[in-house]
Amino acid sequence: MKGIIIGGGIIGLSLARELNKNGYDVTVIELLRVGRGASWTAGGMLAPQAEGLEPGTFLDFCIESREMYETFVKTLERETDIDVGYWKCGILCPAFSEEEEKELKKRIQVYSELGLTGKWIDREALEGRYRSLGEEIRGGALFPDDAQVDNRLLMTALEKYARSRGIQLLEFTEASEIIEENGKFEAVRTSKGIVEGDFCVIAAGAWSEHFIKCHVFPIKGEMAAIDISPQDIDRVIFGSKAYLIPRKDYKRLVIGATEEMVGFKDGNTVKGILQLFNGLKDTLPNLINNTIQETWFGYRPATPDLLPVLGKTEIENLYIATGHYRNGILLAPITARVMFDLIDKGIENHYIKEFSLNRFKANKNE
Ligand code: GLY
């Protein structure tokens, strides 16, 4: 069976790997180099609790994927000999006001009723841990099971897997049209010719709307990175002003991220970078003396209800897996699994049903 995946990001390459492991012949069509789009620009937090997701199916989906992560990365590391910087460092969410403190304490309580771990750490204990602490910080909620991965190393490993295991990568290739006959997928027209396959999966992130009406749009995020040392920070700190992600090797602190609905407008802005560095200053003030390494930006694939779009489309054998918004890196293992089960075994589990494209139709009585 030959499968085509449009989009060589974390979702496309994770699914390509799953299909390849199970004997499928897979071609990935990517406009740029694989792995260098939104997946490269992300922060790599595996953070359903720090993100404050409400109880429900989406939180369950995220928690299940977080639980799959260690095995996912360890297997990939064995396959590729690349350490992808997975670190179950826990994430601290600082409170900058009384209201945030109340909200975070409530969140700890709600999560504990679901069996998810979290605990409050007061300011005094935090002062003993950090060389400087923003003066507004009243304490913080620690979610020890949230984690991180170095998303650039992860994409490098997935690319290496693909190149070494016979997944065909059609890079710098524009997919321009889905060709169907009698409602059934036939092929993809590309800038390098027609690519035929038994099925196709659209995993083109914020660009997916280009191929099918799926209600996906970009939410831009600006990011920065600075030098750090191990004395500066011991784990991810995710506050309302910014998040700070120290990489496992302490060669870099990633600072994120703005959120703007400006379409695909490119470039970093003074306003965006100021927001990030003010967030850094208000959290760990002494780090403003550290050297800037890089600034960049990316586009999260969002949907109107901020949930992913997974499953079948109206065209037979044309599938979709996108719309992961702030959680694409986290959701790669579970998305690859549920999409593989759908394609290979026809299993439409409750996640696929909940995140189906049909929900947009139902809402509009189409
Ligand atoms: N996952 C963090 C962000 O989207 O900024």
Side-chain angles (χ1 to χ4, degrees):
M1 282 271 270
K2 180 171 176 186
I4 300 168
I5 296 177
I6 302 179
I10 180 96
I11 300 298
L13 290 190
S14 300
L15 178 58
R17 172 171 166 267
E18 197 66 35
L19 289 163
N20 169 274
K21 278 172 178 286
N22 287 280
Y24 283 79
D25 175 10
V26 186
T27 297
V28 176
I29 304 172
E30 166 58 48
L31 186 61
L32 304 170
R33 179 172 163 186
V34 294
R36 297 304 190 275
S39 311
W40 193 259
T41 62
M45 283 184 295
L46 311 172
Q49 291 180 259
E51 286 276 353
L53 301 177
E54 297 290 333
T57 312
F58 186 60
L59 176 64
D60 298 346
F61 193 53
C62 289
I63 296 289
E64 212 174 312
S65 203
R66 188 181 68 181
E67 283 165 1
M68 292 169 74
Y69 233 89
E70 189 155 4
T71 304
F72 173 65
V73 297
K74 294 295 164 215
T75 313
L76 182 63
E77 286 178 344
R78 271 199 304 278
E79 290 161 350
T80 60
D81 221 12
I82 294 176
D83 179 338
V84 300
Y86 174 75
W87 183 12
K88 205 173 151 189
C89 53
I91 300 188
L92 177 76
C93 297
F96 289 94
S97 64
E98 196 181 339
E99 202 185 330
E100 283 189 1
E101 181 176 336
K102 268 196 207 142
E103 190 274 321
L104 285 165
K105 285 181 171 167
K106 175 98 180 53
R107 197 193 299 176
I108 292 171
Q109 173 65 30
V110 169
Y111 283 157
S112 86
E113 284 160 18
L114 300 172
L116 299 172
T117 312
K119 69 172 178 185
W120 181 257
I121 302 183
D122 60 27
R123 180 173 171 102
E124 205 179 19
L126 292 179
E127 275 172 346
R129 187 176 290 179
Y130 300 109
R131 288 195 287 197
S132 70
L133 190 67
E135 54 187 34
E136 292 166 78
I137 294 177
R138 306 162 64 88
L142 174 63
F143 298 110
D145 295 328
D146 277 349
Q148 64 157 303
V149 65
D150 184 326
N151 46 295
R152 293 189 182 179
L153 292 174
L154 180 60
M155 295 319 296
T156 305
L158 284 168
E159 179 183 348
K160 183 172 176 187
Y161 178 95
R163 290 195 196 284
S164 61
R165 306 284 173 122
I167 293 173
Q168 204 193 347
L169 301 179
L170 283 182
E171 297 175 284
F172 305 100
T173 303
E174 185 176 7
S176 53
E177 190 195 347
I178 304 288
I179 302 172
E180 52 142 324
E181 204 173 302
N182 300 325
K184 199 168 169 189
F185 171 78
E186 290 282 323
V188 182
R189 191 184 308 281
T190 80
S191 51
K192 293 189 181 150
I194 288 180
V195 184
E196 291 179 344
D198 298 302
F199 64 89
C200 175
V201 184
I202 298 167
W207 293 265
S208 299
E209 189 76 21
H210 182 67
F211 305 101
I212 189 170
K213 185 152 181 57
C214 56
H215 308 267
V216 174
F217 57 91
I219 296 189
K220 184 180 173 184
E222 295 191 43
M223 306 273 284
I226 62 170
D227 287 348
I228 38 158
S229 65
Q231 292 76 39
D232 287 331
I233 180 169
D234 56 347
R235 54 167 48 102
V236 175
I237 300 184
F238 185 158
S240 54
K241 296 178 185 240
Y243 53 73
L244 313 177
I245 311 170
R247 289 304 186 210
K248 196 171 74 170
D249 60 6
Y250 280 99
K251 290 195 173 141
R252 190 173 173 83
L253 180 77
V254 173
I255 308 167
T258 62
E259 283 224 2
E260 269 192 299
M261 299 240 302
V262 290
F264 288 106
K265 188 171 173 204
D266 69 1
N268 281 107
T269 61
V270 174
K271 187 176 114 197
I273 297 305
L274 261 180
Q275 181 185 320
L276 300 178
F277 288 155
N278 279 328
L280 173 71
K281 179 162 71 70
D282 290 348
T283 310
L284 299 178
N286 67 320
L287 299 199
I288 61 168
N289 298 307
N290 294 16
T291 304
I292 297 172
Q293 290 183 2
E294 187 188 346
T295 60
W296 68 95
F297 58 90
Y299 304 103
R300 306 173 183 89
T303 59
D305 55 12
L306 303 179
L307 297 174
V309 181
L310 303 179
K312 294 179 177 174
T313 69
E314 284 190 341
I315 298 172
E316 197 180 333
N317 297 334
L318 178 67
Y319 302 91
I320 188 158
T322 185
H324 294 78
Y325 182 39
R326 296 179 62 91
N327 294 291
I329 304 293
L330 167 66
L331 290 171
I334 197 158
T335 301
R337 199 192 70 202
V338 298
M339 290 302 296
F340 173 75
D341 285 348
L342 176 66
I343 293 164
D344 186 66
K345 306 184 188 78
I347 297 172
E348 281 191 80
N349 79 357
H350 67 292
Y351 293 130
I352 292 275
K353 285 190 180 126
E354 181 99 3
F355 304 134
S356 144
L357 254 182
N358 286 337
R359 71 185 188 267
F360 298 117
K361 266 194 190 172
N363 287 345
K364 290 184 180 136
N365 291 329
E366 275 171 25

